[in-house]
Amino acid sequence: RLGRAAAGCVALPETDEPPPDEPPPPPSSGIKLDVVREQLGLFYRMAAPYFRESDEAKRRLGAVLALVLLNSAISVLFSFVGRDFWTALSSKDTGHFYELMAKYAGALVLGTPIAVQYKFSRASLALAWREWMTSKLTNLYLAERNYYEIDIRGAVDNPDQRLTEDVRSFTRTSLDFAITVLTSVIDLVNFSLILLAIDGKLFVAIVAYAAFGSFVTVALGKPLVELNYKQLTREADLRYLLVRLRENAESVAFFRGERQELQGTQQRLDAAVGNAGQLLGVQRHLEFF
């Protein structure tokens, strides 16, 4: 939102309407395909420039994708070695057991560096992406006095948070989500073939169980979207009030405004804590499931 506002705020038409006090929360009703398409389009416009403009981003992404494939291959290898290992253990086949122990140790030696490098490369890519996006948005924010226009029009609440916390959350969460989806698809194909080779009925039962679990998880966790959105706003409002108090400490002390500042701080703290309590309640329901 900050990127769109900063890029286009100079060309916005004049309006006599007062700026909104708070941006509208995300819709909490059922899934709407037009909203999903709009959000995916916005996500692409925000995410694509980094990987399109930066050669380093392409190299980092290629390395992460290669490690994803290697990590999935290691998972399949461990599944076969683990199956034979427990079979030999249950059948008390001593010779085969020690042979499989050696294979298991070899798989650990091979898989551990790949798993560690995979996590490190993914985190490094998210960090580099955050640095690039923060720099780009900051340049847009300061160009042609956009920061002043945004403040006057109220186009973005708490721009400081948008440039820090939101960018960090966007880059890290988007990358984790994309890689998780890719890994899940690869694992789904690999282990589906394994289960089909073992027993077709077992495969159908596991798919049905996973579908039921996903449906219930989505139903129980649906309020988390709006609650997390509100939590970011509540935390930013509290932080802004404390920063303003620090910057205007002399004026507050001169006018003896401690009581008003304390009252405002307590109100924002109560709002943040109350919303966090609702978040904990929804997360508890998910943990019970």
Side-chain angles (χ1 to χ4, degrees):
R1 292 192 301 149
L2 178 61
R4 289 186 297 171
C9 65
V10 176
L12 287 174
E14 296 294 336
T15 177
D16 295 331
E17 297 180 0
D21 295 334
E22 183 176 341
S28 58
S29 56
I31 297 176
K32 299 179 181 179
L33 293 180
D34 56 340
V35 175
V36 173
R37 284 194 295 267
E38 179 183 357
Q39 294 299 319
L40 288 176
L42 177 60
F43 170 79
Y44 177 79
R45 290 195 299 272
M46 293 293 292
Y50 173 59
F51 298 98
R52 187 169 54 238
E53 299 174 12
S54 174
D55 293 333
E56 180 186 2
K58 296 183 180 70
R59 291 192 295 269
R60 287 179 179 272
L61 181 61
V64 169
L65 293 178
L67 289 169
V68 166
L69 296 175
L70 286 174
N71 200 50
S72 296
I74 292 297
S75 296
V76 174
L77 175 63
F78 267 108
S79 69
F80 281 107
V81 174
R83 178 200 62 183
D84 295 338
F85 177 83
W86 290 109
T87 299
L89 183 63
S90 61
S91 61
K92 300 180 180 180
D93 188 345
T94 305
H96 198 204
F97 173 77
Y98 286 113
E99 178 185 350
L100 288 170
M101 278 191 64
K103 290 183 179 180
Y104 205 88
L108 282 175
V109 172
L110 178 64
T112 300
I114 293 176
V116 172
Q117 186 61 35
Y118 163 65
K119 292 182 179 179
F120 173 78
S121 298
R122 188 172 67 178
S124 298
L125 176 57
L127 181 61
W129 188 7
R130 179 193 178 186
E131 179 185 11
W132 182 92
M133 180 171 283
T134 302
S135 177
K136 181 73 68 174
L137 290 178
T138 302
N139 288 333
L140 289 173
Y141 185 54
L142 296 176
E144 301 183 17
R145 298 182 179 177
N146 287 330
Y147 59 91
Y148 179 73
E149 294 287 341
I150 290 174
D151 183 62
I152 293 299
R153 298 175 185 271
V156 178
D157 64 295
N158 302 301
D160 55 308
Q161 176 180 306
R162 307 306 173 192
L163 287 169
T164 54
E165 293 297 321
D166 283 12
V167 171
R168 179 183 63 84
S169 178
F170 174 80
T171 54
R172 185 181 62 183
T173 304
S174 298
L175 186 62
D176 288 347
F177 178 75
I179 292 178
T180 299
V181 170
L182 176 61
T183 304
S184 299
V185 171
I186 294 173
D187 289 343
L188 175 64
V189 173
N190 291 334
F191 290 103
S192 293
L193 295 175
I194 294 174
L195 287 173
L196 282 172
I198 298 174
D199 189 350
K201 294 181 180 180
L202 177 63
F203 170 76
V204 173
I206 291 178
V207 169
Y209 173 78
F212 172 76
S214 299
F215 175 79
V216 175
T217 300
V218 170
L220 292 177
K222 191 176 181 181
L224 288 175
V225 177
E226 184 174 355
L227 288 174
N228 278 300
Y229 177 88
K230 287 182 177 180
Q231 189 66 27
L232 289 174
T233 302
R234 303 291 185 268
E235 297 285 354
D237 289 342
L238 175 61
R239 184 168 56 249
Y240 170 76
L241 189 66
L242 294 174
V243 171
R244 190 190 65 174
L245 174 60
R246 183 187 63 190
E247 293 178 346
N248 298 277
E250 184 177 355
S251 298
V252 174
F254 180 80
F255 290 103
R256 298 184 181 276
E258 293 85 357
R259 179 178 299 178
Q260 290 83 353
E261 294 295 330
L262 180 60
Q263 182 179 2
T265 302
Q266 190 63 47
Q267 289 175 351
R268 286 162 175 78
L269 177 61
D270 291 342
V273 172
N275 192 81
Q278 296 182 51
L279 267 172
L280 290 175
V282 176
Q283 292 170 350
R284 179 192 60 189
H285 297 334
L286 285 174
E287 291 293 334
F288 276 131
F289 174 72

